[in-house]
C-alpha cells in the first residue's frame, strides 16, 4: 500500500513538473548587423482608437513598401522600479539603413501630409530612438524569467562611462544576463528620446533583481542625468 502511494505521488509530481515546463513560453528577438532598429516608447491618448486604425491601415503599409520591417515589441509590466516614465508599449521595427529610413520618412510626409499630426493626436508621448546595429544580436525571452529594461541619460559623459561599466559588471555579478546593450542612438526631430545607455536584462526571479536593485540605487549617480527602468513582457497575441 505504501509503495503504491509513493508511486502515485511520484507520478503526480512528474506530471506536475512536466505541465509546468510545458507552460514556459519563449519568444526570439533578432537584429541583424547593419540594420537600423527603431524603439518607439508611446502612451496612447484616450478615444484615439479609430484614428489609430487609420494610421495602421494607411501609414504602416507605406512604411513597409519603403523598407520598414515590424518586429516583436514589448509591453511594460508593473510600475517603474526607477524613474518616472511608464509607457503603454514599446514598438520595435527595423530598416535596411539610415538612408532608407530617411527616404521612407520623406515618402510618408509627401503621401500623408497629416502623418505627424496623426501621431500627435493618437499618442500623448511618442519617443523614438534608433540604433544602427554593429553586429548580429539575438536573444530569447522566457516567460519564467524576469526581464527589465533600463535606460540611462548621462550628465557627465566621461564619468558616465565608468558608471556604465560598473552597472553592467554589478548586474552580471548579481546573476543578471545582459541580453541587449544599446548605445549611440539617434532621435528624429520632434520625437526626442535618446538615452546614452539602454539595456535589457534577464533575471531568474524577482528576488534576484531586487537584490541587484538595492546595490544599483546605492551606486554613485553623480554622472547620471536621468533613468527609466521597468519590467517588460511581449504583448499578448492578437485577439487576446
Amino acid at each position: 500500500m505504501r509503495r503504491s502511494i509513493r508511486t502515485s505521488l511520484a507520478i503526480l509530481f512528474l506530471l506536475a513538473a512536466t505541465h509546468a515546463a510545458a507552460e514556459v513560453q519563449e519568444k526570439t528577438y533578432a537584429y541583424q548587423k547593419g540594420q537600423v532598429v527603431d524603439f518607439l516608447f508611446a502612451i496612447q491618448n484616450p478615444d484615439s482608437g479609430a484614428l489609430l486604425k487609420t494610421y495602421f491601415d494607411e501609414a504602416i503599409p507605406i512604411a513597409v513598401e519603403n523598407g520598414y520591417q515590424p518586429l516583436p515589441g514589448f509591453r511594460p509590466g508593473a510600475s517603474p522600479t526607477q524613474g518616472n516614465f511608464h509607457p503603454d508599449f514599446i514598438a520595435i521595427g527595423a530598416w535596411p539603413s539610415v538612408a532608407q529610413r530617411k527616404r521612407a520618412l520623406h515618402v510618408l510626409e509627401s503621401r500623408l501630409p497629416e502623418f505627424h499630426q496623426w501621431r500627435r493626436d493618437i499618442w500623448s508621448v511618442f519617443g523614438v530612438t534608433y540604433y544602427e546595429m554593429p553586429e548580429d544580436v539575438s536573444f530569447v525571452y522566457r516567460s519564467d524569467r524576469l526581464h527589465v529594461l533600463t535606460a540611462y541619460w548621462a550628465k557627465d559623459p566621461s564619468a558616465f562611462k565608468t558608471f556604465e561599466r560598473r552597472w553592467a559588471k554589478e548586474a552580471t555579478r548579481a546573476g543578471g544576463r545582459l541580453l541587449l546593450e544599446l548605445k549611440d542612438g539617434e532621435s528624429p526631430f520632434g520625437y526626442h528620446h535618446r538615452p546614452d545607455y539602454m539595456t535589457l536584462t534577464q533575471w531568474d526571479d524577482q528576488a534576484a533583481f531586487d537584490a541587484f536593485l538595492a546595490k544599483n540605487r546605492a551606486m554613485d549617480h553623480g554622472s547620471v542625468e536621468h533613468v527609466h527602468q521597468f519590467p517588460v513582457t511581449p504583448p499578448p497575441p492578437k485577439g487576446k
Side-chain angles (χ1 to χ4, degrees):
M1 183 65 177
R2 288 182 178 177
R3 179 178 297 175
S4 176
I5 292 174
R6 286 198 299 269
T7 301
S8 297
L9 289 173
I11 292 172
L12 287 172
F13 178 82
L14 179 61
L15 289 173
T18 302
H19 179 68
E23 288 185 341
V24 175
Q25 298 178 2
E26 297 184 348
K27 192 174 189 66
T28 299
Y29 290 74
Y31 314 120
Q32 299 173 6
K33 180 180 179 179
Q35 271 188 329
V36 174
V37 182
D38 286 7
F39 287 77
L40 296 81
F41 296 76
I43 297 176
Q44 187 175 343
N45 286 320
D47 303 320
S48 61
L51 185 55
L52 178 64
K53 183 179 185 307
T54 300
Y55 179 87
F56 280 126
D57 289 345
E58 298 190 25
I60 298 301
I62 295 174
V64 171
E65 288 172 13
N66 287 273
Y68 179 68
Q69 178 187 357
L71 297 175
F74 288 108
R75 189 172 296 277
S79 298
T81 49
Q82 294 192 85
N84 60 354
F85 182 51
H86 196 202
D88 291 333
F89 71 93
I90 303 164
I92 303 175
W95 304 87
S97 66
V98 173
Q100 188 71 31
R101 190 187 191 285
K102 291 180 178 179
R103 282 196 295 271
L105 182 59
H106 288 315
V107 173
L108 279 162
E109 291 170 337
S110 62
R111 291 175 60 179
L112 294 174
E114 57 275 86
F115 173 70
H116 294 290
Q117 188 58 51
W118 280 357
R119 283 182 164 182
R120 287 187 285 268
D121 291 339
I122 297 168
W123 293 288
S124 60
V125 173
F126 196 83
V128 180
T129 312
Y130 61 87
Y131 301 86
E132 186 170 5
M133 304 305 294
E135 59 186 3
D136 290 349
V137 176
S138 65
F139 57 89
V140 176
Y141 171 94
R142 289 177 52 95
S143 61
D144 62 340
R145 302 287 190 269
L146 176 69
H147 299 76
V148 179
L149 187 142
T150 306
Y152 278 111
W153 282 256
K155 181 189 299 181
D156 179 341
S158 179
F160 180 77
K161 292 294 183 183
T162 301
F163 176 90
E164 174 191 309
R165 287 192 294 269
R166 185 186 170 199
W167 190 96
K169 183 178 180 179
E170 292 291 347
T172 302
R173 182 181 295 169
R177 288 169 287 279
L178 274 69
L179 302 183
L180 186 65
E181 287 187 282
L182 296 170
K183 308 174 188 178
D184 303 320
E186 297 290 338
S187 283
F189 178 77
Y191 299 97
H192 188 79
H193 182 280
R194 188 183 177 186
D196 294 280
Y197 180 57
M198 189 166 77
T199 69
L200 178 69
T201 50
Q202 183 186 78
W203 303 85
D204 286 341
D205 50 38
Q206 186 70 49
F209 172 70
D210 287 345
F212 164 69
L213 182 59
K215 295 179 180 179
N216 177 198
R217 287 173 171 164
M219 290 172 61
D220 181 0
H221 284 70
S223 64
V224 178
E225 181 71 30
H226 193 52
V227 60
H228 292 164
Q229 187 181 72
F230 36 76
V232 293
T233 62
K238 290 184 179 180
K240 291 189 178 181

